[in-house]
Amino acid sequence: MARHQHDPDHLHPRPQLQSWISAPGSKNEVMVSHGRAPWYGPDGKNIEAYVVGIAGGSASGKTSVARAILSALNYIPTVLILSQDSFYNAHTDEEIELAFNNDLDLDHPDAIDSSLFAKCLMDLKQGKATEIPTYSFVHHQRMPEKKYIYGASVIIVEGIMALQSPELRDLYDLKVFVNCDSDLMLARRIKRDVQERGRDVDGILDQYLRFVKSSYDNFVQPSSRYADIIVPGSSNQLAIELLVTHVKRQLDTRSLRFRKMLAQMGDDEAEVQSSKGEEHSDKQVVLLEQTNQLLGLMTILRDRTTSRGDFIFYADRLSTIVVEKALTLIPCQPKTVKTPLGVDYKGTGGDDQLVGVSILRSGGPFSHGLRRVIRDIPIGGMLIQSDPKTGEPLLLKSDLPHSIKSTETSGEVKVLLLDSQMGTGAAAMMAIRVLLDHGVLESNIIFLTYLIAKQAIHSVLRAFPSIHIVTAAIDPGLDEMHIPYNRSTLVLGESAGEADFAVRLIDGDLTTGGLEGEREKVDDQREGVQSEKELGADRFKVPIKREMEELKFSRARERRGDDGAFGEKRAWVISPGMGHIGDRYYM
Ligand SMILES: Nc1ncnc2c1ncn2[C@@H]1O[C@H](COP(=O)(O)OP(=O)(O)O)[C@@H](O)[C@H]1O
Ligand SMILES: O=c1ccn([C@@H]2O[C@H](COP(=O)(O)O)[C@@H](O)[C@H]2O)c(=O)[nH]1
């Protein structure tokens, strides 16, 4: 994380702030930037998010302090402000009527659903996806819709009772209290509640005298004793700067620890782990039977002289074979149907809980194969790119099927995770981690690929020993290459020798017609097969373009004859391999 701080690189465009809860006056905000670097170690286990808890009286300036921290941390991929406002209890009709008459005590600690608050915060801190309730101050009521949140590196919690509950306090890495003069708080509250919460001055004062003031004296102010730092509620720029410096220092220390952890995985341990991986691979890796027919297919696909049309045809064919093999790992459900003769036939049915998730760069070709075998299977996508400098994967976007996003169903879902090849295993590990963070069981994940480098098996199974991998081939070599790039037209991705799907999308957008047109023609020939647009790629197009509008695809530039190589990026290439599968398939 420190790396970004000292590296005001133009590659990291300024993050965008978005309010993610539609209820009027919502204070919850999330800041997203170019991508999320691994939030887990090589053991696959999550590193916890950093959590700051901010308490203080109503209108003391908690939200303003939280927003100031959020803006100052703009080099962190995802910073989230989580407001206690979302966690007010659901109210009965009688309670709502009392609230409108200023007769409901909304300033008592019991007015907040602290256990739900703590549960959601715990999930987020541990890197898991969660669903946050929404609350309307205008209606004094919890709203039916929930908000799905996933992937915060820093969480800033704010609320009058944020330091009240021991359950919440235990989750904070830093506790802050905003101390403000009572008159100032009241003046600010009147102004805000009239403007934003649909209230009148009489009602506000009534509520203040009955509940707000006594709550502040009895609960809120006394909770300041738990704070590590007291920040004034006005003229507080210096205090906020000190606070931000402290948070940055803490984040730096964490990232150093992470790097140290990686470095500590010395050769000895790697050997032990590697032999464990070998044991696992016997059970967990399913290599297609190396028949003459399959070897013939692989020969065509590996042959550099194979035409693009043939490459697409045989890649599609191979993906259906891999999918069929993967389906043998999923238990069938008995199903009885009536034949046209009216006779019962006792057969088997598909698994309703089965979904596909394509790793975009190059899972696209596999999605076609999956659709050929199971026509209506939901297929989601994850856009994972490699940081060209560090080679580390970055999660840019995930668009998962509903059954994975819902905490009620994710534990039952079986996922076919699709990528053309697995070189270092870094992108696969990130995608698996995302699925686990949503509650998918490790043993319910099957990774499907054409080709895998031997050492990727060790890395992935060391971290996630219960997943299955189904592959058509295992290659011995994985070579690091340094590919020249032009900084102003930097390519992201291309790890493991794969083509870069997102970059192709950007490229497709920037070059008028050409590549897209060609792709459309190929799609037209495939009846019943989804194009990459339908498979979700298109949904990634707008944000990626907006956030990375500087980026163009350097190879496309090369073709146009541009030069100006500026630096080198790291890429890992499987050997003997099949080359850039995505490029050969799409371009
Ligand atoms: N440091 C400050 N200086 C001047 N006005 C402030 C300051 N902090 C907050 N305010 C104003 O006070 C009001 C309440 O602030 P807010 O941060 O929403 O309070 P809280 O979240 O504690 O209820 C807002 O109108 C805000 O603009
Ligand atoms: O339905 C509701 C729920 C709460 N309140 C008041 O909100 C403040 C806390 O919000 P801040 O943003 O921290 O000021 C609390 O004092 C409650 O009285 C409400 O009016 N209606």
Side-chain angles (χ1 to χ4, degrees):
M1 286 170 182
R3 166 171 51 85
H4 302 291
Q5 184 192 354
H6 306 298
D7 176 21
D9 201 306
H10 69 284
L11 298 175
H12 299 164
R14 209 177 154 69
Q16 317 229 337
L17 276 180
Q18 340 170 196
S19 233
W20 52 252
I21 290 188
S22 51
S26 168
K27 295 177 178 177
N28 298 298
E29 276 179 11
V30 66
M31 180 171 68
V32 285
S33 70
H34 69 291
R36 192 176 181 212
W39 55 99
Y40 46 83
D43 58 0
K45 299 212 166 30
N46 276 341
I47 295 163
E48 292 189 332
Y50 188 81
V51 186
V52 182
I54 305 179
S58 172
S60 59
K62 302 178 293 297
T63 311
S64 309
V65 171
R67 285 182 177 156
I69 300 175
L70 178 128
S71 318
L73 295 180
N74 65 7
Y75 67 101
I76 308 280
T78 314
V79 184
L80 169 76
I81 297 179
L82 190 61
S83 175
Q84 172 200 278
D85 292 359
S86 304
F87 295 91
Y88 278 101
N89 289 319
H91 296 131
T92 61
D93 289 347
E94 292 75 38
E95 286 170 332
I96 292 171
E97 204 175 326
L98 288 174
F100 275 110
N101 292 327
N102 304 306
D103 273 339
L104 184 68
D105 187 355
L106 293 158
D107 288 79
H108 192 275
D110 292 347
I112 311 286
D113 191 343
S114 296
S115 48
L116 180 62
F117 197 177
K119 193 213 161 282
C120 291
L121 181 57
M122 172 75 99
D123 283 347
L124 289 168
K125 185 176 165 93
Q126 291 177 343
K128 295 181 197 156
T130 196
E131 285 174 320
I132 300 287
T134 56
Y135 184 85
S136 163
F137 277 78
V138 174
H139 300 101
H140 298 291
Q141 181 59 301
R142 185 176 287 180
M143 298 285 106
E145 64 272 16
K146 288 181 180 169
K147 181 69 200 177
Y148 157 88
I149 319 178
Y150 174 61
S153 307
V154 177
I155 304 160
I156 307 169
V157 176
E158 71 80 26
I160 53 173
M161 299 294 166
L163 294 182
Q164 190 65 36
S165 132
E167 229 180 330
L168 283 171
R169 284 200 304 269
D170 283 350
L171 296 171
Y172 302 140
D173 296 291
L174 179 68
K175 299 185 269 297
V176 179
F177 188 86
V178 182
N179 198 26
C180 191
D181 175 77
S182 289
D183 295 346
L184 184 54
M185 286 196 283
L186 177 58
R188 285 174 174 178
R189 182 171 164 124
I190 292 171
K191 211 170 159 191
R192 180 199 61 195
D193 283 6
V194 168
Q195 281 172 1
E196 294 171 21
R197 296 185 180 175
R199 315 287 297 278
D200 61 64
V201 177
D202 276 356
I204 296 166
L205 290 175
D206 203 17
Q207 185 190 17
Y208 181 80
L209 294 171
R210 296 187 65 184
F211 303 115
V212 182
K213 186 173 173 4
S214 60
S215 162
Y216 183 75
D217 294 341
N218 295 328
F219 302 111
V220 183
Q221 211 290 325
S223 74
S224 66
R225 69 177 182 276
Y226 301 114
D228 303 307
I229 301 175
I230 307 279
V231 171
S234 56
S235 309
N236 50 15
Q237 256 170 316
L238 186 60
I240 291 170
E241 272 169 36
L242 290 172
L243 194 60
V244 167
T245 307
H246 176 82
V247 173
K248 283 181 176 172
R249 201 176 298 134
Q250 292 301 309
L251 292 172
D252 283 359
T253 315
R254 280 183 175 215
S255 68
L256 281 176
R257 245 188 274 138
F258 175 56
R259 270 183 239 127
K260 204 168 158 193
M261 196 166 75
L262 286 172
Q264 273 169 355
M265 292 200 56
D267 290 344
D268 292 351
E269 198 200 343
E271 255 169 46
V272 175
Q273 298 289 3
S274 172
S275 62
K276 278 190 195 159
E278 200 81 59
E279 277 167 32
H280 286 131
S281 64
D282 294 343
K283 288 184 277 141
Q284 303 306 119
V285 179
V286 178
L287 176 64
L288 293 190
E289 202 185 332
Q290 302 293 294
T291 59
N292 285 339
Q293 187 199 20
L294 182 79
L295 292 172
L297 252 177
M298 289 306 286
T299 309
I300 296 170
L301 291 171
R302 288 176 186 276
D303 185 346
R304 65 192 295 177
T305 66
T306 298
S307 70
R308 179 167 170 258
D310 280 354
F311 189 87
I312 292 169
F313 178 84
Y314 289 107
D316 283 350
R317 187 170 159 209
L318 181 56
S319 56
T320 58
I321 298 172
V322 176
V323 170
E324 295 283 7
K325 186 71 188 177
L327 292 180
T328 64
L329 301 176
I330 295 168
C332 285
Q333 309 297 327
K335 184 177 180 184
T336 302
V337 292
K338 281 244 184 291
T339 70
L341 295 180
V343 180
D344 278 356
Y345 174 78
K346 290 193 171 114
T348 57
D351 193 323
D352 293 345
Q353 312 284 7
L354 192 63
V355 301
V357 173
S358 178
I359 301 181
L360 301 171
R361 302 165 311 219
S362 55
F366 245 103
S367 311
H368 296 135
L370 180 54
R371 277 262 182 258
R372 285 186 169 195
V373 180
I374 310 172
R375 214 180 171 125
D376 53 356
I377 187 169
I379 301 182
M382 273 185 228
L383 184 55
I384 297 175
Q385 301 271 289
S386 300
D387 186 308
K389 279 189 190 162
T390 63
E392 279 198 88
L394 297 173
L395 177 66
L396 283 134
K397 180 102 177 146
S398 64
D399 189 0
L400 299 171
H402 177 74
S403 55
I404 296 183
K405 282 168 88 175
S406 161
T407 43
E408 278 150 35
T409 47
S410 61
E412 304 295 322
V413 176
K414 297 180 185 72
V415 183
L416 300 178
L417 188 56
L418 316 167
D419 202 353
S420 293
Q421 52 189 322
M422 192 200 283
T424 59
M429 281 180 71
M430 182 169 271
I432 293 165
R433 189 62 258 171
V434 171
L435 295 176
L436 299 179
D437 290 346
H438 284 77
V440 175
L441 301 181
E442 201 177 297
S443 54
N444 282 346
I445 300 171
I446 306 176
F447 190 94
L448 280 63
T449 189
Y450 300 126
L451 184 61
I452 182 164
K454 200 164 186 193
Q455 78 177 65
I457 297 177
H458 305 315
S459 315
V460 174
L461 289 181
R462 180 176 60 218
F464 309 112
S466 303
I467 68 149
H468 280 93
I469 297 170
V470 181
T471 182
I474 299 174
D475 274 11
L478 184 64
D479 301 324
E480 186 179 7
M481 291 183 71
H482 294 269
I483 299 171
Y485 69 83
N486 177 334
R487 213 178 167 100
S488 65
T489 56
L490 187 64
V491 183
L492 295 185
E494 296 188 25
S495 68
E498 294 161 61
D500 189 296
F501 197 21
V503 172
R504 276 184 284 109
L505 286 173
I506 292 161
D507 188 44
D509 236 21
L510 295 173
T511 55
T512 45
L515 302 171
E516 284 286 314
E518 196 182 343
R519 175 73 191 134
E520 291 307 328
K521 263 184 254 151
V522 176
D523 278 334
D524 290 348
Q525 294 158 10
R526 302 152 179 263
E527 220 187 307
V529 175
Q530 283 206 328
S531 72
E532 64 199 51
K533 277 186 187 158
E534 292 166 308
L535 288 167
D538 207 36
R539 275 172 268 162
F540 295 125
K541 203 163 181 171
V542 174
I544 295 304
K545 185 168 182 282
R546 192 178 61 227
E547 286 168 22
M548 297 192 246
E549 56 194 10
E550 294 277 304
L551 297 174
K552 293 173 187 167
F553 190 27
S554 69
R555 261 191 258 135
R557 288 203 133 215
E558 277 166 29
R559 262 182 261 115
R560 287 183 220 124
D562 293 1
D563 55 4
F566 195 92
E568 280 186 340
K569 69 186 173 62
R570 299 171 66 191
W572 294 88
V573 180
I574 301 179
S575 148
M578 287 163 62
H580 290 249
I581 294 177
D583 276 9
R584 297 183 71 190
Y585 193 91
Y586 286 113
M587 294 176 65

